[in-house]
Amino acid sequence: MEKIRSLKSKDLYPSIFSRHAAAYQRRLDEIMARGQARGRQRAIELLELRPGMRVLDLACGPGTLSKPIAAQIAPDGEVTGIDLAQGMIELARAARIPNARFLVMDIENLDFPSASFDAAACGHGLQFAPDLPRALVEARRVLRPNARFAASIPVDWATQRPWKVMDEVVDRWLPPAPKATDQEATRQTVNDAEALRTAALSAGFGSAEVEVIEEKVRWDSAEQIV
């Protein structure tokens, strides 16, 4: 029997996302263009962006949210995107988004002075933070008073039938995939609306709301899913 390799989240995910950065970017651009990324779009709406704002994009990936954010805060605003995956940051920089800069940085250890930003966003990234309370505290610290933080977080998609079937097939042909050993607490919190709201309030945010948004994403073929 093959042994499952266990790793810390920060040793596992940055390399995976760097390796597949280009494919991730293509797929995300596709669903954004189709209007199928409703959670991410809603996060942008909730920020109530205005020209001249300084916005932080946490776990920015290839700059998918940074681009529309930069357009809304132009011409004098600035968006700063951070991600632990070097490959993602390289793609974001290559996009040459006006009024945007991109840095390799951990969302649990933000290298910015307190009260540096007017708003912050995170598109499908908080679920990867092994220490979610610390990530939320850091987000609150770097925001100015009354600033907004909006994040989209996917539910546990691995339990949905298409992914379960694919995992069963993959498991028959490939060795066990490496597993993150420090994710359980975070996954439990982000999949529980009240626990997530409580975590945000405990981090120092004055108020917190959780919305449930249904997304319907179209795949053109089974091959595209794979």
Side-chain angles (χ1 to χ4, degrees), residues 3-224:
K3 184 178 181 180
I4 296 176
R5 189 158 55 102
S6 298
L7 298 169
K8 296 291 188 181
S9 298
K10 295 175 189 179
D11 295 325
L12 176 62
Y13 293 125
S15 61
I16 290 176
F17 278 97
S18 289
R19 187 163 63 250
H20 299 291
Y24 181 93
Q25 182 183 45
R26 286 193 300 270
R27 178 59 185 164
L28 199 47
D29 285 348
E30 180 182 278
I31 65 173
M32 290 285 285
R34 289 178 176 176
Q36 296 174 341
R38 295 183 59 220
R40 292 178 173 92
Q41 295 286 8
R42 180 60 175 153
I44 295 175
E45 293 170 4
L46 289 170
L47 295 182
E48 298 184 351
L49 298 171
R50 302 179 304 279
M53 292 178 70
R54 298 188 71 239
V55 182
L56 178 62
D57 186 3
L58 297 164
C60 66
T64 307
L65 296 193
S66 299
K67 186 174 182 179
I69 288 173
Q72 292 187 43
I73 61 177
D76 300 322
E78 181 186 60
V79 57
T80 300
I82 69 158
D83 201 292
L84 263 183
Q86 178 70 40
M88 290 292 190
I89 292 299
E90 289 173 0
L91 280 183
R93 289 171 177 167
R96 299 189 181 280
I97 301 170
N99 304 323
R101 61 174 179 148
F102 297 96
L103 307 167
V104 176
M105 193 180 297
D106 186 348
I107 65 174
E108 294 178 8
N109 294 283
L110 298 177
D111 191 18
F112 303 112
S114 298
S116 294
F117 297 95
D118 301 305
C122 185
H124 283 33
L126 286 182
Q127 72 274 16
F128 293 113
D131 190 342
L132 181 61
R134 182 178 177 85
L136 292 171
V137 165
E138 278 290 270
R140 178 66 191 91
R141 179 185 65 79
V142 301
L143 288 171
R144 297 191 175 112
N146 301 315
R148 289 190 166 204
F149 174 39
S152 64
I153 304 171
V155 298
D156 192 1
W157 54 265
T159 62
Q160 299 171 14
R161 180 161 174 76
W163 304 109
K164 289 180 69 175
V165 171
M166 186 169 71
D167 284 346
E168 289 169 2
V169 174
V170 169
D171 287 344
R172 287 202 300 268
W173 290 94
L174 297 176
K179 301 290 184 181
T181 59
D182 51 4
Q183 281 285 293
E184 187 61 29
T186 292
R187 296 302 170 120
Q188 287 183 358
T189 299
V190 299
N191 282 289
D192 182 327
E194 187 55 34
L196 181 57
R197 180 178 175 275
T198 299
L201 294 173
S202 298
F205 288 94
S207 63
E209 296 180 10
V210 178
E211 295 183 13
V212 178
I213 298 175
E214 181 179 348
E215 290 186 342
K216 293 184 178 181
V217 178
R218 188 180 83 222
W219 298 87
D220 294 328
S221 66
E223 182 181 5
Q224 188 184 42

